[in-house]
Amino acid sequence: MNELVSKASVHAFYDEAIQQGRNTAENLQAATSERFNTLLGSVGVETPRTALDLGYGAGAYTIALARAGFHVTAVDQIPTDVLLRRIDGAGEWGRRIDPRECLAENYAIDEDFGVVVARDVLHYLARHDVEALLTNAVAHARGGNRHYLEVFTGITRRAADGQLRRIEGEADYSPDSFRQVIERIYDGWDFTLLWSEHAEQDGRTGRNCFEATRATVIAANNRAA
């Protein structure tokens, strides 16, 4: 039987890790990925200069977007003062960041964001919340939009004693079920769906505590506004 881990304990873990600046097994303090950098460099004048970063964590993607000229709404369940301290004194690009303390699933997408980023957060949500967020983001897109998603599928978690673990209410997508969701929601968009195997080690035992297939979605709304 799987050990059930509460969402509250997961929220508390990330709250503490981000506030203390710790780099966890999943590399919370990592720089932006080459795939994202390529997407950001390809954005044209047709893309609105507004962005949404769902689950911004340590803030690397939020900061990259702001430096690139986007006005960024940065959403996470952690206190906003962590990000505000990081960008204090940053100048003009720092003033383009609007941090919001909010669970990703509770954030109502009701405007046209030129770029939407959601990295390593959607798999924690219930499936209906994942699909509602993405559906709303697509519904409000007017043209030239870019979405960048990294979502873990086919997840296996283990405690230090080897017992299987599952997080309360998580989406639990298989690679195939997630692909079907993306094909349905991003109908009419140009998108690329990339797959890579991912594993994280328990620092105490050296054994894998997390294994998954990471899905990277790079989607472009090239329909006329």
Side-chain angles (χ1 to χ4, degrees), residues 18 27 74 104 109 117 125 127 129 133 137 155 174 187 197 202-203:
I18 293 296
N27 201 8
I109 299 176
V117 176
L125 279 53
R127 289 193 184 195
D129 288 325
L133 280 169
I155 295 170
S174 67
D187 182 40
E197 296 307 310
D202 186 319

Side-chain angles (χ1 to χ4, degrees), residues 25-26 152 196-201 208-214:
E26 64 198 279
F152 287 121
S196 59
E197 296 307 310
H198 179 88
E200 298 169 12
Q201 287 72 45
N208 285 355
C209 59
F210 182 92
E211 298 173 344
T213 301
R214 187 200 294 270

Side-chain angles (χ1 to χ4, degrees), residues 80-189:
T80 59
D81 61 336
V82 180
L83 180 58
L84 289 171
R85 285 196 301 270
R86 183 172 181 185
I87 64 176
D88 184 41
E92 182 181 353
W93 67 262
R95 293 190 289 273
R96 290 196 286 265
I97 295 174
D98 177 18
R100 310 279 184 90
E101 184 176 343
C102 179
L103 294 173
E105 60 266 40
N106 292 341
Y107 184 76
I109 299 176
D110 57 6
E111 60 183 286
D112 179 18
F113 288 105
V115 176
V116 174
V117 176
R119 290 188 61 261
D120 300 352
V121 64
L122 296 181
H123 65 279
Y124 288 118
L125 279 53
R127 289 193 184 195
H128 62 84
D129 288 325
V130 174
E131 293 164 31
L133 280 169
L134 297 181
T135 297
N136 284 340
V138 167
H140 285 88
R142 298 292 176 261
N145 313 78
R146 301 291 185 268
H147 289 187
Y148 182 86
L149 318 174
E150 292 186 13
V151 182
F152 287 121
T153 68
I155 295 170
T156 300
R157 292 186 179 85
R158 294 186 186 275
D161 62 2
Q163 182 177 357
L164 291 172
R165 311 177 80 186
R166 182 173 61 84
I167 293 175
E168 171 191 13
E170 67 181 335
D172 196 24
Y173 285 113
S174 67
D176 189 58
S177 63
F178 184 70
R179 176 186 55 78
Q180 292 177 29
V181 166
I182 294 302
E183 288 178 346
R184 172 170 53 82
I185 292 176
Y186 286 94
D187 182 40
W189 287 46

